[in-house]
Amino acid sequence: AQTVTQSQPEMSVQEAETVTLSCTYDTSESDYYLFWYKQPPSRQMILVIRQEAYKQQNATENRFSVNFQKAAKSFSLKISDSQLGDAAMYFCAGGGIESQGNLIFGKGTKLSVKP
Amino acid sequence: DVKVTQSSRYLVKRTGEKVFLECVQDMDHENMFWYRQDPGLGLRLIYFSYDVKMKEKGDIPEGYSVSREKKERFSLILESASTNQTSMYLCASRDSAREQYFGPGTRLTVT
């Protein structure tokens, strides 16, 4: 069985500051993928960043980076230099290679950005 | 760019009606998914399909069925809509790198 846990229902950050969203992914599979998706208000869900579990290096995409701690089952998302457009629901998701690529999603973290 | 479209953004139906939600993707992806999104529950998988005419139940298939007659189109069917099926429905397709691309969603209200 796989579980994805996002323990922060809501977070808030000041514009230009840094914020970290937490996620834990528990699976019995040794090879899997992890994703962070962003869903702005009334807009389409889009991929923010992905991490393959076999990769040692943490993924980065511009202002977004992850801290993947495999042993701790932790997969946090750091947003640097936060912008007003970063306000959204953020979903953590994971999927094992053996499970046909189906993703399990966390319940989401609502991020507010204060000007 | 991958494009996933859904037939309606908003839909209002009466209890007992048969409801069709359609999803179309333009990237020749083999895998397609239907999710239900509810506040505080995240996304839950209803059904998925890995090929034409192939379907698999997800975590919450009860009360739903699906159809995939063409590769680009994946339909979700509510045989007899009930008020507890009021929700946001998201369709997605998946590429070979396992990234899922989502449609804009259909907000269904059953009264």
PDB file of all heavy atoms in Angstrom, chain A residues 33 35 37 39 42 44-45 47 50 91 96-97 100-107, chain B residues 4 9 33 35 37 40-43 48 90 94 97-100 102-104:
ATOM      1  N   TYR A  33       8.232   7.382  -8.313  1.00  0.00           N
ATOM      2  CA  TYR A  33       8.328   8.781  -8.716  1.00  0.00           C
ATOM      3  C   TYR A  33       7.545   9.631  -7.722  1.00  0.00           C
ATOM      4  O   TYR A  33       6.519   9.201  -7.205  1.00  0.00           O
ATOM      5  CB  TYR A  33       7.710   8.999 -10.104  1.00  0.00           C
ATOM      6  CG  TYR A  33       8.416   8.279 -11.226  1.00  0.00           C
ATOM      7  CD1 TYR A  33       8.147   6.942 -11.509  1.00  0.00           C
ATOM      8  CD2 TYR A  33       9.338   8.941 -12.021  1.00  0.00           C
ATOM      9  CE1 TYR A  33       8.779   6.288 -12.546  1.00  0.00           C
ATOM     10  CE2 TYR A  33       9.974   8.299 -13.066  1.00  0.00           C
ATOM     11  CZ  TYR A  33       9.688   6.960 -13.319  1.00  0.00           C
ATOM     12  OH  TYR A  33      10.324   6.321 -14.353  1.00  0.00           O
ATOM     13  N   PHE A  35       5.965  13.707  -7.191  1.00  0.00           N
ATOM     14  CA  PHE A  35       5.599  14.923  -7.910  1.00  0.00           C
ATOM     15  C   PHE A  35       5.008  15.951  -6.946  1.00  0.00           C
ATOM     16  O   PHE A  35       4.378  15.603  -5.950  1.00  0.00           O
ATOM     17  CB  PHE A  35       4.521  14.625  -8.964  1.00  0.00           C
ATOM     18  CG  PHE A  35       4.898  13.584  -9.983  1.00  0.00           C
ATOM     19  CD1 PHE A  35       4.716  12.240  -9.721  1.00  0.00           C
ATOM     20  CD2 PHE A  35       5.416  13.960 -11.209  1.00  0.00           C
ATOM     21  CE1 PHE A  35       5.050  11.269 -10.670  1.00  0.00           C
ATOM     22  CE2 PHE A  35       5.751  13.012 -12.160  1.00  0.00           C
ATOM     23  CZ  PHE A  35       5.573  11.664 -11.892  1.00  0.00           C
ATOM     24  N   TYR A  37       2.292  19.031  -7.604  1.00  0.00           N
ATOM     25  CA  TYR A  37       1.405  19.689  -8.544  1.00  0.00           C
ATOM     26  C   TYR A  37       0.845  20.952  -7.896  1.00  0.00           C
ATOM     27  O   TYR A  37       0.631  21.007  -6.684  1.00  0.00           O
ATOM     28  CB  TYR A  37       0.243  18.778  -8.940  1.00  0.00           C
ATOM     29  CG  TYR A  37       0.592  17.739  -9.969  1.00  0.00           C
ATOM     30  CD1 TYR A  37       1.082  16.488  -9.588  1.00  0.00           C
ATOM     31  CD2 TYR A  37       0.437  18.001 -11.332  1.00  0.00           C
ATOM     32  CE1 TYR A  37       1.392  15.522 -10.540  1.00  0.00           C
ATOM     33  CE2 TYR A  37       0.749  17.043 -12.288  1.00  0.00           C
ATOM     34  CZ  TYR A  37       1.226  15.808 -11.882  1.00  0.00           C
ATOM     35  OH  TYR A  37       1.544  14.865 -12.833  1.00  0.00           O
ATOM     36  N   GLN A  39      -2.345  23.811  -8.164  1.00  0.00           N
ATOM     37  CA  GLN A  39      -3.670  24.092  -8.701  1.00  0.00           C
ATOM     38  C   GLN A  39      -4.080  25.505  -8.274  1.00  0.00           C
ATOM     39  O   GLN A  39      -4.596  25.705  -7.173  1.00  0.00           O
ATOM     40  CB  GLN A  39      -4.690  23.071  -8.203  1.00  0.00           C
ATOM     41  CG  GLN A  39      -6.057  23.212  -8.859  1.00  0.00           C
ATOM     42  CD  GLN A  39      -7.039  22.173  -8.336  1.00  0.00           C
ATOM     43  OE1 GLN A  39      -7.076  21.887  -7.134  1.00  0.00           O
ATOM     44  NE2 GLN A  39      -7.841  21.600  -9.225  1.00  0.00           N
ATOM     45  N   SER A  42      -9.444  28.126  -9.456  1.00  0.00           N
ATOM     46  CA  SER A  42     -10.244  28.017 -10.685  1.00  0.00           C
ATOM     47  C   SER A  42      -9.405  27.791 -11.927  1.00  0.00           C
ATOM     48  O   SER A  42      -9.823  28.115 -13.039  1.00  0.00           O
ATOM     49  CB  SER A  42     -11.109  29.279 -10.881  1.00  0.00           C
ATOM     50  OG  SER A  42     -11.955  29.452  -9.767  1.00  0.00           O
ATOM     51  N   GLN A  44      -6.247  25.210 -14.004  1.00  0.00           N
ATOM     52  CA  GLN A  44      -5.843  23.832 -14.250  1.00  0.00           C
ATOM     53  C   GLN A  44      -4.688  23.403 -13.355  1.00  0.00           C
ATOM     54  O   GLN A  44      -3.805  24.200 -13.005  1.00  0.00           O
ATOM     55  CB  GLN A  44      -5.393  23.729 -15.713  1.00  0.00           C
ATOM     56  CG  GLN A  44      -5.639  22.427 -16.372  1.00  0.00           C
ATOM     57  CD  GLN A  44      -6.026  22.641 -17.832  1.00  0.00           C
ATOM     58  OE1 GLN A  44      -6.583  23.679 -18.215  1.00  0.00           O
ATOM     59  NE2 GLN A  44      -5.749  21.666 -18.663  1.00  0.00           N
ATOM     60  N   MET A  45      -4.674  22.146 -12.984  1.00  0.00           N
ATOM     61  CA  MET A  45      -3.579  21.557 -12.225  1.00  0.00           C
ATOM     62  C   MET A  45      -2.362  21.413 -13.139  1.00  0.00           C
ATOM     63  O   MET A  45      -2.469  20.878 -14.253  1.00  0.00           O
ATOM     64  CB  MET A  45      -4.009  20.174 -11.740  1.00  0.00           C
ATOM     65  CG  MET A  45      -3.000  19.456 -10.881  1.00  0.00           C
ATOM     66  SD  MET A  45      -3.463  19.448  -9.166  1.00  0.00           S
ATOM     67  CE  MET A  45      -4.910  18.441  -9.241  1.00  0.00           C
ATOM     68  N   LEU A  47       2.065  20.571 -13.308  1.00  0.00           N
ATOM     69  CA  LEU A  47       3.217  19.999 -12.626  1.00  0.00           C
ATOM     70  C   LEU A  47       4.185  21.107 -12.220  1.00  0.00           C
ATOM     71  O   LEU A  47       4.499  21.994 -13.008  1.00  0.00           O
ATOM     72  CB  LEU A  47       3.935  19.018 -13.539  1.00  0.00           C
ATOM     73  CG  LEU A  47       5.184  18.357 -12.960  1.00  0.00           C
ATOM     74  CD1 LEU A  47       4.801  17.386 -11.860  1.00  0.00           C
ATOM     75  CD2 LEU A  47       5.975  17.643 -14.046  1.00  0.00           C
ATOM     76  N   ARG A  50       9.289  17.236 -10.314  1.00  0.00           N
ATOM     77  CA  ARG A  50       9.251  15.790 -10.143  1.00  0.00           C
ATOM     78  C   ARG A  50      10.607  15.298  -9.644  1.00  0.00           C
ATOM     79  O   ARG A  50      11.638  15.938  -9.877  1.00  0.00           O
ATOM     80  CB  ARG A  50       8.890  15.092 -11.443  1.00  0.00           C
ATOM     81  CG  ARG A  50       9.906  15.297 -12.552  1.00  0.00           C
ATOM     82  CD  ARG A  50       9.477  14.561 -13.815  1.00  0.00           C
ATOM     83  NE  ARG A  50       9.676  13.138 -13.680  1.00  0.00           N
ATOM     84  CZ  ARG A  50       8.976  12.243 -14.373  1.00  0.00           C
ATOM     85  NH1 ARG A  50       8.043  12.639 -15.210  1.00  0.00           N
ATOM     86  NH2 ARG A  50       9.191  10.967 -14.215  1.00  0.00           N
ATOM     87  N   PHE A  91      -0.378  19.943  -4.307  1.00  0.00           N
ATOM     88  CA  PHE A  91      -0.583  18.529  -4.036  1.00  0.00           C
ATOM     89  C   PHE A  91       0.714  17.766  -4.247  1.00  0.00           C
ATOM     90  O   PHE A  91       1.375  17.893  -5.275  1.00  0.00           O
ATOM     91  CB  PHE A  91      -1.661  17.946  -4.958  1.00  0.00           C
ATOM     92  CG  PHE A  91      -3.042  18.466  -4.688  1.00  0.00           C
ATOM     93  CD1 PHE A  91      -3.548  19.523  -5.435  1.00  0.00           C
ATOM     94  CD2 PHE A  91      -3.822  17.905  -3.706  1.00  0.00           C
ATOM     95  CE1 PHE A  91      -4.826  20.006  -5.192  1.00  0.00           C
ATOM     96  CE2 PHE A  91      -5.108  18.381  -3.460  1.00  0.00           C
ATOM     97  CZ  PHE A  91      -5.608  19.433  -4.205  1.00  0.00           C
ATOM     98  N   GLY A  96       4.452   4.220  -7.625  1.00  0.00           N
ATOM     99  CA  GLY A  96       5.478   3.205  -7.771  1.00  0.00           C
ATOM    100  C   GLY A  96       5.578   2.709  -9.201  1.00  0.00           C
ATOM    101  O   GLY A  96       4.606   2.725  -9.943  1.00  0.00           O
ATOM    102  N   ILE A  97       6.742   2.252  -9.575  1.00  0.00           N
ATOM    103  CA  ILE A  97       6.937   1.717 -10.922  1.00  0.00           C
ATOM    104  C   ILE A  97       6.085   0.481 -11.135  1.00  0.00           C
ATOM    105  O   ILE A  97       5.551   0.246 -12.227  1.00  0.00           O
ATOM    106  CB  ILE A  97       8.422   1.358 -11.135  1.00  0.00           C
ATOM    107  CG1 ILE A  97       9.302   2.583 -10.929  1.00  0.00           C
ATOM    108  CG2 ILE A  97       8.631   0.752 -12.509  1.00  0.00           C
ATOM    109  CD1 ILE A  97       9.006   3.711 -11.856  1.00  0.00           C
ATOM    110  N   GLN A 100       1.648   0.419 -12.094  1.00  0.00           N
ATOM    111  CA  GLN A 100       1.128   0.920 -13.366  1.00  0.00           C
ATOM    112  C   GLN A 100       1.211   2.440 -13.477  1.00  0.00           C
ATOM    113  O   GLN A 100       0.560   3.026 -14.312  1.00  0.00           O
ATOM    114  CB  GLN A 100      -0.328   0.474 -13.566  1.00  0.00           C
ATOM    115  CG  GLN A 100      -0.487  -1.042 -13.603  1.00  0.00           C
ATOM    116  CD  GLN A 100      -1.934  -1.450 -13.714  1.00  0.00           C
ATOM    117  OE1 GLN A 100      -2.716  -1.199 -12.821  1.00  0.00           O
ATOM    118  NE2 GLN A 100      -2.277  -2.072 -14.825  1.00  0.00           N
ATOM    119  N   GLY A 101       2.010   3.045 -12.655  1.00  0.00           N
ATOM    120  CA  GLY A 101       2.173   4.486 -12.756  1.00  0.00           C
ATOM    121  C   GLY A 101       1.043   5.281 -12.173  1.00  0.00           C
ATOM    122  O   GLY A 101       0.968   6.501 -12.350  1.00  0.00           O
ATOM    123  N   ASN A 102       0.122   4.625 -11.485  1.00  0.00           N
ATOM    124  CA  ASN A 102      -0.963   5.372 -10.865  1.00  0.00           C
ATOM    125  C   ASN A 102      -0.432   6.162  -9.679  1.00  0.00           C
ATOM    126  O   ASN A 102       0.380   5.675  -8.904  1.00  0.00           O
ATOM    127  CB  ASN A 102      -2.051   4.418 -10.385  1.00  0.00           C
ATOM    128  CG  ASN A 102      -2.733   3.726 -11.534  1.00  0.00           C
ATOM    129  OD1 ASN A 102      -2.531   4.085 -12.688  1.00  0.00           O
ATOM    130  ND2 ASN A 102      -3.535   2.719 -11.230  1.00  0.00           N
ATOM    131  N   LEU A 103      -0.898   7.369  -9.569  1.00  0.00           N
ATOM    132  CA  LEU A 103      -0.437   8.246  -8.510  1.00  0.00           C
ATOM    133  C   LEU A 103      -1.397   8.250  -7.335  1.00  0.00           C
ATOM    134  O   LEU A 103      -2.612   8.171  -7.514  1.00  0.00           O
ATOM    135  CB  LEU A 103      -0.290   9.679  -9.035  1.00  0.00           C
ATOM    136  CG  LEU A 103       0.751   9.913 -10.119  1.00  0.00           C
ATOM    137  CD1 LEU A 103       0.802  11.394 -10.500  1.00  0.00           C
ATOM    138  CD2 LEU A 103       2.128   9.437  -9.679  1.00  0.00           C
ATOM    139  N   ILE A 104      -0.822   8.358  -6.156  1.00  0.00           N
ATOM    140  CA  ILE A 104      -1.594   8.611  -4.943  1.00  0.00           C
ATOM    141  C   ILE A 104      -1.323  10.066  -4.559  1.00  0.00           C
ATOM    142  O   ILE A 104      -0.155  10.477  -4.505  1.00  0.00           O
ATOM    143  CB  ILE A 104      -1.166   7.686  -3.805  1.00  0.00           C
ATOM    144  CG1 ILE A 104      -1.306   6.220  -4.230  1.00  0.00           C
ATOM    145  CG2 ILE A 104      -1.990   7.960  -2.551  1.00  0.00           C
ATOM    146  CD1 ILE A 104      -2.721   5.793  -4.514  1.00  0.00           C
ATOM    147  N   PHE A 105      -2.391  10.801  -4.312  1.00  0.00           N
ATOM    148  CA  PHE A 105      -2.261  12.215  -4.002  1.00  0.00           C
ATOM    149  C   PHE A 105      -2.476  12.479  -2.523  1.00  0.00           C
ATOM    150  O   PHE A 105      -3.295  11.825  -1.868  1.00  0.00           O
ATOM    151  CB  PHE A 105      -3.285  13.030  -4.794  1.00  0.00           C
ATOM    152  CG  PHE A 105      -2.956  13.177  -6.246  1.00  0.00           C
ATOM    153  CD1 PHE A 105      -3.237  12.155  -7.137  1.00  0.00           C
ATOM    154  CD2 PHE A 105      -2.356  14.332  -6.727  1.00  0.00           C
ATOM    155  CE1 PHE A 105      -2.922  12.276  -8.488  1.00  0.00           C
ATOM    156  CE2 PHE A 105      -2.043  14.462  -8.065  1.00  0.00           C
ATOM    157  CZ  PHE A 105      -2.325  13.434  -8.942  1.00  0.00           C
ATOM    158  N   GLY A 106      -1.745  13.454  -2.001  1.00  0.00           N
ATOM    159  CA  GLY A 106      -2.027  13.955  -0.671  1.00  0.00           C
ATOM    160  C   GLY A 106      -3.271  14.821  -0.690  1.00  0.00           C
ATOM    161  O   GLY A 106      -3.852  15.090  -1.745  1.00  0.00           O
ATOM    162  N   LYS A 107      -3.668  15.294   0.486  1.00  0.00           N
ATOM    163  CA  LYS A 107      -4.896  16.075   0.585  1.00  0.00           C
ATOM    164  C   LYS A 107      -4.700  17.537   0.226  1.00  0.00           C
ATOM    165  O   LYS A 107      -5.669  18.288   0.129  1.00  0.00           O
ATOM    166  CB  LYS A 107      -5.480  15.937   1.987  1.00  0.00           C
ATOM    167  CG  LYS A 107      -5.925  14.513   2.290  1.00  0.00           C
ATOM    168  CD  LYS A 107      -6.543  14.377   3.669  1.00  0.00           C
ATOM    169  CE  LYS A 107      -6.997  12.935   3.886  1.00  0.00           C
ATOM    170  NZ  LYS A 107      -7.631  12.745   5.206  1.00  0.00           N
TER     171      LYS A 107
ATOM    172  N   VAL B   4      -5.385  18.653 -22.583  1.00  0.00           N
ATOM    173  CA  VAL B   4      -6.460  17.785 -22.126  1.00  0.00           C
ATOM    174  C   VAL B   4      -7.684  18.669 -21.936  1.00  0.00           C
ATOM    175  O   VAL B   4      -7.628  19.647 -21.184  1.00  0.00           O
ATOM    176  CB  VAL B   4      -6.092  17.078 -20.806  1.00  0.00           C
ATOM    177  CG1 VAL B   4      -7.238  16.190 -20.348  1.00  0.00           C
ATOM    178  CG2 VAL B   4      -4.814  16.264 -20.969  1.00  0.00           C
ATOM    179  N   ARG B   9     -17.244  22.825 -18.033  1.00  0.00           N
ATOM    180  CA  ARG B   9     -16.615  23.322 -16.809  1.00  0.00           C
ATOM    181  C   ARG B   9     -17.569  23.211 -15.636  1.00  0.00           C
ATOM    182  O   ARG B   9     -17.165  22.935 -14.519  1.00  0.00           O
ATOM    183  CB  ARG B   9     -16.190  24.782 -16.985  1.00  0.00           C
ATOM    184  CG  ARG B   9     -14.998  24.993 -17.898  1.00  0.00           C
ATOM    185  CD  ARG B   9     -13.738  24.284 -17.401  1.00  0.00           C
ATOM    186  NE  ARG B   9     -13.333  24.684 -16.067  1.00  0.00           N
ATOM    187  CZ  ARG B   9     -12.509  25.692 -15.805  1.00  0.00           C
ATOM    188  NH1 ARG B   9     -12.029  26.419 -16.784  1.00  0.00           N
ATOM    189  NH2 ARG B   9     -12.163  25.974 -14.567  1.00  0.00           N
ATOM    190  N   PHE B  33      -7.018   8.906 -17.007  1.00  0.00           N
ATOM    191  CA  PHE B  33      -7.494   8.749 -15.637  1.00  0.00           C
ATOM    192  C   PHE B  33      -8.688   9.671 -15.370  1.00  0.00           C
ATOM    193  O   PHE B  33      -8.750  10.775 -15.913  1.00  0.00           O
ATOM    194  CB  PHE B  33      -6.383   9.123 -14.641  1.00  0.00           C
ATOM    195  CG  PHE B  33      -5.110   8.356 -14.842  1.00  0.00           C
ATOM    196  CD1 PHE B  33      -4.179   8.737 -15.805  1.00  0.00           C
ATOM    197  CD2 PHE B  33      -4.820   7.259 -14.049  1.00  0.00           C
ATOM    198  CE1 PHE B  33      -2.998   8.039 -15.982  1.00  0.00           C
ATOM    199  CE2 PHE B  33      -3.641   6.546 -14.221  1.00  0.00           C
ATOM    200  CZ  PHE B  33      -2.735   6.933 -15.186  1.00  0.00           C
ATOM    201  N   TYR B  35     -10.409  11.355 -11.923  1.00  0.00           N
ATOM    202  CA  TYR B  35     -10.305  11.582 -10.491  1.00  0.00           C
ATOM    203  C   TYR B  35     -11.518  12.383 -10.026  1.00  0.00           C
ATOM    204  O   TYR B  35     -12.115  13.163 -10.774  1.00  0.00           O
ATOM    205  CB  TYR B  35      -9.060  12.412 -10.147  1.00  0.00           C
ATOM    206  CG  TYR B  35      -7.746  11.747 -10.408  1.00  0.00           C
ATOM    207  CD1 TYR B  35      -7.083  11.931 -11.615  1.00  0.00           C
ATOM    208  CD2 TYR B  35      -7.139  10.968  -9.431  1.00  0.00           C
ATOM    209  CE1 TYR B  35      -5.851  11.347 -11.843  1.00  0.00           C
ATOM    210  CE2 TYR B  35      -5.908  10.381  -9.648  1.00  0.00           C
ATOM    211  CZ  TYR B  35      -5.274  10.577 -10.867  1.00  0.00           C
ATOM    212  OH  TYR B  35      -4.056   9.995 -11.090  1.00  0.00           O
ATOM    213  N   GLN B  37     -12.239  15.214  -6.991  1.00  0.00           N
ATOM    214  CA  GLN B  37     -11.547  16.086  -6.045  1.00  0.00           C
ATOM    215  C   GLN B  37     -12.548  16.706  -5.096  1.00  0.00           C
ATOM    216  O   GLN B  37     -13.475  17.404  -5.517  1.00  0.00           O
ATOM    217  CB  GLN B  37     -10.777  17.202  -6.777  1.00  0.00           C
ATOM    218  CG  GLN B  37     -10.008  18.109  -5.833  1.00  0.00           C
ATOM    219  CD  GLN B  37      -9.274  19.224  -6.542  1.00  0.00           C
ATOM    220  OE1 GLN B  37      -9.434  19.437  -7.737  1.00  0.00           O
ATOM    221  NE2 GLN B  37      -8.445  19.941  -5.816  1.00  0.00           N
ATOM    222  N   GLY B  40     -10.396  18.752   1.331  1.00  0.00           N
ATOM    223  CA  GLY B  40      -9.912  17.975   2.462  1.00  0.00           C
ATOM    224  C   GLY B  40      -9.639  16.515   2.167  1.00  0.00           C
ATOM    225  O   GLY B  40      -9.119  15.797   3.021  1.00  0.00           O
ATOM    226  N   LEU B  41      -9.969  16.076   0.959  1.00  0.00           N
ATOM    227  CA  LEU B  41      -9.742  14.663   0.604  1.00  0.00           C
ATOM    228  C   LEU B  41      -8.739  14.503  -0.530  1.00  0.00           C
ATOM    229  O   LEU B  41      -8.371  13.376  -0.865  1.00  0.00           O
ATOM    230  CB  LEU B  41     -11.066  13.999   0.202  1.00  0.00           C
ATOM    231  CG  LEU B  41     -12.132  13.903   1.295  1.00  0.00           C
ATOM    232  CD1 LEU B  41     -13.395  13.258   0.744  1.00  0.00           C
ATOM    233  CD2 LEU B  41     -11.613  13.118   2.502  1.00  0.00           C
ATOM    234  N   GLY B  42      -8.327  15.587  -1.124  1.00  0.00           N
ATOM    235  CA  GLY B  42      -7.378  15.495  -2.226  1.00  0.00           C
ATOM    236  C   GLY B  42      -8.035  14.913  -3.470  1.00  0.00           C
ATOM    237  O   GLY B  42      -9.238  15.066  -3.692  1.00  0.00           O
ATOM    238  N   LEU B  43      -7.244  14.229  -4.283  1.00  0.00           N
ATOM    239  CA  LEU B  43      -7.736  13.596  -5.499  1.00  0.00           C
ATOM    240  C   LEU B  43      -7.840  12.094  -5.260  1.00  0.00           C
ATOM    241  O   LEU B  43      -6.894  11.471  -4.754  1.00  0.00           O
ATOM    242  CB  LEU B  43      -6.774  13.828  -6.667  1.00  0.00           C
ATOM    243  CG  LEU B  43      -6.901  15.138  -7.420  1.00  0.00           C
ATOM    244  CD1 LEU B  43      -6.438  16.309  -6.573  1.00  0.00           C
ATOM    245  CD2 LEU B  43      -6.107  15.071  -8.715  1.00  0.00           C
ATOM    246  N   PHE B  48      -9.243   4.163 -14.396  1.00  0.00           N
ATOM    247  CA  PHE B  48      -8.210   4.517 -15.351  1.00  0.00           C
ATOM    248  C   PHE B  48      -8.239   3.543 -16.520  1.00  0.00           C
ATOM    249  O   PHE B  48      -8.859   2.479 -16.453  1.00  0.00           O
ATOM    250  CB  PHE B  48      -6.828   4.579 -14.694  1.00  0.00           C
ATOM    251  CG  PHE B  48      -6.318   3.265 -14.168  1.00  0.00           C
ATOM    252  CD1 PHE B  48      -5.434   2.507 -14.903  1.00  0.00           C
ATOM    253  CD2 PHE B  48      -6.687   2.814 -12.907  1.00  0.00           C
ATOM    254  CE1 PHE B  48      -4.932   1.311 -14.404  1.00  0.00           C
ATOM    255  CE2 PHE B  48      -6.195   1.628 -12.403  1.00  0.00           C
ATOM    256  CZ  PHE B  48      -5.315   0.868 -13.160  1.00  0.00           C
ATOM    257  N   LEU B  90     -11.817  15.556 -12.357  1.00  0.00           N
ATOM    258  CA  LEU B  90     -10.616  15.871 -13.142  1.00  0.00           C
ATOM    259  C   LEU B  90     -10.221  14.675 -13.995  1.00  0.00           C
ATOM    260  O   LEU B  90     -10.165  13.548 -13.509  1.00  0.00           O
ATOM    261  CB  LEU B  90      -9.452  16.222 -12.223  1.00  0.00           C
ATOM    262  CG  LEU B  90      -9.595  17.455 -11.346  1.00  0.00           C
ATOM    263  CD1 LEU B  90      -8.366  17.619 -10.464  1.00  0.00           C
ATOM    264  CD2 LEU B  90      -9.786  18.699 -12.188  1.00  0.00           C
ATOM    265  N   ARG B  94      -1.425  10.477 -19.221  1.00  0.00           N
ATOM    266  CA  ARG B  94      -0.062  10.293 -18.714  1.00  0.00           C
ATOM    267  C   ARG B  94       0.900   9.974 -19.833  1.00  0.00           C
ATOM    268  O   ARG B  94       0.601   9.156 -20.716  1.00  0.00           O
ATOM    269  CB  ARG B  94      -0.040   9.145 -17.711  1.00  0.00           C
ATOM    270  CG  ARG B  94       1.197   9.091 -16.858  1.00  0.00           C
ATOM    271  CD  ARG B  94       1.268   7.779 -16.114  1.00  0.00           C
ATOM    272  NE  ARG B  94       1.860   6.736 -16.948  1.00  0.00           N
ATOM    273  CZ  ARG B  94       1.784   5.433 -16.679  1.00  0.00           C
ATOM    274  NH1 ARG B  94       1.119   5.031 -15.636  1.00  0.00           N
ATOM    275  NH2 ARG B  94       2.361   4.567 -17.459  1.00  0.00           N
ATOM    276  N   ALA B  97       6.954   9.253 -19.378  1.00  0.00           N
ATOM    277  CA  ALA B  97       7.777   9.593 -18.211  1.00  0.00           C
ATOM    278  C   ALA B  97       6.941   9.650 -16.940  1.00  0.00           C
ATOM    279  O   ALA B  97       7.415  10.105 -15.906  1.00  0.00           O
ATOM    280  CB  ALA B  97       8.464  10.939 -18.431  1.00  0.00           C
ATOM    281  N   ARG B  98       5.706   9.209 -17.063  1.00  0.00           N
ATOM    282  CA  ARG B  98       4.797   9.092 -15.930  1.00  0.00           C
ATOM    283  C   ARG B  98       4.265  10.422 -15.399  1.00  0.00           C
ATOM    284  O   ARG B  98       3.664  10.467 -14.332  1.00  0.00           O
ATOM    285  CB  ARG B  98       5.396   8.269 -14.800  1.00  0.00           C
ATOM    286  CG  ARG B  98       5.667   6.852 -15.238  1.00  0.00           C
ATOM    287  CD  ARG B  98       6.268   5.998 -14.146  1.00  0.00           C
ATOM    288  NE  ARG B  98       6.541   4.649 -14.641  1.00  0.00           N
ATOM    289  CZ  ARG B  98       5.675   3.669 -14.612  1.00  0.00           C
ATOM    290  NH1 ARG B  98       4.479   3.860 -14.105  1.00  0.00           N
ATOM    291  NH2 ARG B  98       5.989   2.472 -15.081  1.00  0.00           N
ATOM    292  N   GLU B  99       4.486  11.492 -16.141  1.00  0.00           N
ATOM    293  CA  GLU B  99       3.873  12.753 -15.751  1.00  0.00           C
ATOM    294  C   GLU B  99       2.421  12.762 -16.191  1.00  0.00           C
ATOM    295  O   GLU B  99       2.106  12.374 -17.318  1.00  0.00           O
ATOM    296  CB  GLU B  99       4.598  13.932 -16.381  1.00  0.00           C
ATOM    297  CG  GLU B  99       3.958  15.283 -16.041  1.00  0.00           C
ATOM    298  CD  GLU B  99       4.694  16.436 -16.661  1.00  0.00           C
ATOM    299  OE1 GLU B  99       5.862  16.269 -17.057  1.00  0.00           O
ATOM    300  OE2 GLU B  99       4.089  17.535 -16.744  1.00  0.00           O
ATOM    301  N   GLN B 100       1.543  13.217 -15.307  1.00  0.00           N
ATOM    302  CA  GLN B 100       0.128  13.310 -15.655  1.00  0.00           C
ATOM    303  C   GLN B 100      -0.229  14.750 -16.006  1.00  0.00           C
ATOM    304  O   GLN B 100       0.202  15.687 -15.345  1.00  0.00           O
ATOM    305  CB  GLN B 100      -0.746  12.800 -14.504  1.00  0.00           C
ATOM    306  CG  GLN B 100      -0.592  11.307 -14.292  1.00  0.00           C
ATOM    307  CD  GLN B 100      -1.666  10.700 -13.417  1.00  0.00           C
ATOM    308  OE1 GLN B 100      -2.685  11.319 -13.155  1.00  0.00           O
ATOM    309  NE2 GLN B 100      -1.437   9.467 -12.975  1.00  0.00           N
ATOM    310  N   PHE B 102      -3.403  17.326 -16.669  1.00  0.00           N
ATOM    311  CA  PHE B 102      -4.791  17.417 -16.238  1.00  0.00           C
ATOM    312  C   PHE B 102      -5.620  18.331 -17.127  1.00  0.00           C
ATOM    313  O   PHE B 102      -5.122  19.317 -17.673  1.00  0.00           O
ATOM    314  CB  PHE B 102      -4.855  17.940 -14.801  1.00  0.00           C
ATOM    315  CG  PHE B 102      -4.431  16.922 -13.785  1.00  0.00           C
ATOM    316  CD1 PHE B 102      -3.096  16.754 -13.471  1.00  0.00           C
ATOM    317  CD2 PHE B 102      -5.375  16.127 -13.150  1.00  0.00           C
ATOM    318  CE1 PHE B 102      -2.704  15.810 -12.542  1.00  0.00           C
ATOM    319  CE2 PHE B 102      -4.996  15.180 -12.225  1.00  0.00           C
ATOM    320  CZ  PHE B 102      -3.654  15.018 -11.917  1.00  0.00           C
ATOM    321  N   GLY B 103      -6.902  18.006 -17.216  1.00  0.00           N
ATOM    322  CA  GLY B 103      -7.863  18.896 -17.831  1.00  0.00           C
ATOM    323  C   GLY B 103      -8.291  19.959 -16.833  1.00  0.00           C
ATOM    324  O   GLY B 103      -7.884  19.934 -15.675  1.00  0.00           O
ATOM    325  N   PRO B 104      -9.136  20.893 -17.280  1.00  0.00           N
ATOM    326  CA  PRO B 104      -9.551  22.005 -16.425  1.00  0.00           C
ATOM    327  C   PRO B 104     -10.544  21.616 -15.335  1.00  0.00           C
ATOM    328  O   PRO B 104     -10.767  22.385 -14.410  1.00  0.00           O
ATOM    329  CB  PRO B 104     -10.179  22.991 -17.406  1.00  0.00           C
ATOM    330  CG  PRO B 104     -10.636  22.144 -18.537  1.00  0.00           C
ATOM    331  CD  PRO B 104      -9.652  21.017 -18.644  1.00  0.00           C
TER     332      PRO B 104
END
